[in-house]
Amino acid sequence: MSHGREGPSEPPDQDKIDAVYRVATEWAQRMEKSRISEYLELLHSPWRLIWLNVLSGTARGVGIAIGFTFFAATIIYVLQVLGALNLPIIGDYIADIVRIVQHQLELNTY
């Protein structure tokens, strides 16, 4: 007695099992790409974590210092070039800045 089906080649649950397998495989690949195991190893060795944070903080600080030095040198160079041109408006503006800085320096020395 047949119920209108010819016997399937795979059990009906096989599709669900395949879908779960694909999802699990995808998650495993994502976790491997995210290097979660290395992160967990790092969490279990706090001194290594501290050392890496010190190194990265030092590198970041040195990078900021070098970047700011380059930026400030560029601004000073541009101001010197503009000051050498003796443009009336810009020259007066630079002279005002110099006066303000000199005044502040005189106030801080007393």
Side-chain angles (χ1 to χ4, degrees), residues 28-42:
Q29 289 173 349
R30 285 185 184 178
M31 288 176 67
E32 189 63 34
K33 285 181 184 176
S34 70
R35 302 165 89 184
I36 192 97
S37 62
E38 292 178 14
Y39 176 70
L40 290 175
E41 287 178 23
L42 190 61

Side-chain angles (χ1 to χ4, degrees), residues 52-64:
L52 288 175
N53 281 327
V54 167
L55 284 178
S56 65
T58 303
R60 192 173 295 120
V62 169
I64 289 171

Side-chain angles (χ1 to χ4, degrees), residues 72-93:
T74 303
I75 296 298
I76 290 172
Y77 176 75
V78 168
L79 287 175
Q80 284 178 346
V81 168
L82 291 176
L85 293 175
N86 279 336
L87 299 174
I89 297 172
I90 297 174
D92 292 340
Y93 179 69

